[in-house]
Amino acid sequence: MTRRTEWPGSEDDTSSAAGDAENRNGRRGRKKGGGSALAFSGGDPDSPRAGTEPPRTPEEQARAICLRLLTGSPRTRKQLGDALHQRGIPEEAAEEVLSRFEDVGLIDDAAFADAWVESRHHGRGLARRALARELRTKGVDSAVIDEAVGRLDSEQEESTARALVDRKLRTTRGLDREKRLRRLAGMLARKGYPEGLALRVVRRALEEEGEDPELLDQHLPDV
């Protein structure tokens, strides 16, 4: 019997799949309970590509991966490049897609660095040194990092350090003088504040709380 050509997913296709058994002669692998495995695949069910989309080019795969990652959050070119490498995308295809994304502004390491500094400084209180370290781990160029962290001036950094100390100060009350100094200065050091700035801010905060400046000087720790 001559069969009509059926397009996958059409109404004619699905009705044919449920029709006379003679029209399905030679088609194997049909599931019980109606519905043809072939009706929506457009090919031999024994074929490894049955029920799947045609294979995409490496460039198409790379674009899909990058778009999916960028939907979640901004990424640097290095982060996206690493992701493509891990998924087996050939280097030439990856570079082509990454360059195209840069051209249209979907990848912008400078904008990423600016936003990172703004968010992490005001949200976590990180100092320039810590922010630069984080951006390096994300593959941002050194010149771009310097420009981004350079927007934080010394006054802003010191003001943020003081706010951090003020929030922590209450939890150190009851400790001896040396422990308070070490704990507060150590907290600032872990957030990337230079030793001199950390000790100056902590010393001023404790003085304002009533500590003797001369006694504080005797217990200044090495951070």
Side-chain angles (χ1 to χ4, degrees):
M1 177 180 294
T2 302
R3 266 203 318 255
R4 294 177 301 161
T5 300
E6 299 169 355
W7 296 104
S10 69
E11 292 183 3
D12 288 341
D13 186 23
T14 54
S15 62
S16 175
D20 197 303
E22 290 182 1
N23 289 332
R24 302 194 301 265
N25 186 34
R27 294 186 180 183
R28 293 169 296 154
R30 186 182 312 283
K31 295 181 180 180
K32 294 182 179 180
S36 170
L38 200 64
F40 294 95
S41 68
D44 186 343
D46 287 341
S47 167
R49 283 165 50 189
T52 64
E53 296 179 358
R56 294 183 293 179
T57 66
E59 290 79 8
E60 289 173 332
Q61 294 178 51
R63 283 195 293 271
I65 292 168
C66 288
L67 287 171
R68 184 168 64 250
L69 292 173
L70 289 170
T71 298
S73 63
R75 311 282 176 129
T76 65
R77 177 172 178 140
K78 174 70 163 50
Q79 287 177 304
L80 292 171
D82 289 345
L84 296 178
H85 177 72
Q86 291 170 3
R87 289 162 173 78
I89 301 298
E91 184 176 351
E92 184 176 350
E95 286 300 311
E96 179 182 335
V97 170
L98 293 173
S99 295
R100 176 58 179 161
F101 272 45
E102 278 189 325
D103 290 343
V104 300
L106 290 175
I107 299 175
D108 188 337
D109 282 3
F112 177 96
D114 289 343
W116 187 267
V117 168
E118 178 75 13
S119 172
R120 300 286 283 176
H121 178 72
H122 293 290
R124 298 288 301 279
L126 298 185
R128 287 175 288 188
R129 186 168 60 186
L131 293 166
R133 183 170 58 246
E134 289 186 339
L135 288 171
R136 280 194 297 271
T137 66
K138 297 181 181 302
V140 179
D141 183 77
S142 295
V144 174
I145 293 174
D146 291 343
E147 185 174 353
V149 300
R151 292 188 172 89
L152 276 179
D153 59 31
S154 298
E155 290 184 3
Q156 175 63 56
E157 200 170 47
E158 185 164 345
S159 175
T160 302
R162 178 57 195 264
L164 290 169
V165 169
D166 287 345
R167 288 201 296 267
K168 187 77 172 176
L169 201 60
R170 182 177 57 82
T171 66
T172 66
R173 288 172 187 155
L175 299 177
D176 64 54
R177 185 178 298 108
E178 183 175 357
K179 284 185 177 179
R180 294 190 81 189
L181 280 166
R182 288 184 179 277
R183 184 164 297 185
L184 293 169
M187 178 267 295
L188 291 180
R190 288 190 295 275
K191 290 182 178 291
Y193 290 89
E195 178 183 34
L197 171 62
L199 293 177
R200 183 172 67 251
V201 169
V202 171
R203 187 179 189 276
R204 185 182 303 125
L206 292 177
E207 280 183 23
E208 291 175 3
E209 206 179 50
E211 290 281 359
D212 188 326
E214 293 184 3
L215 293 177
L216 287 173
D217 288 341
Q218 294 175 12
H219 295 285
L220 286 177
D222 295 326
V223 179

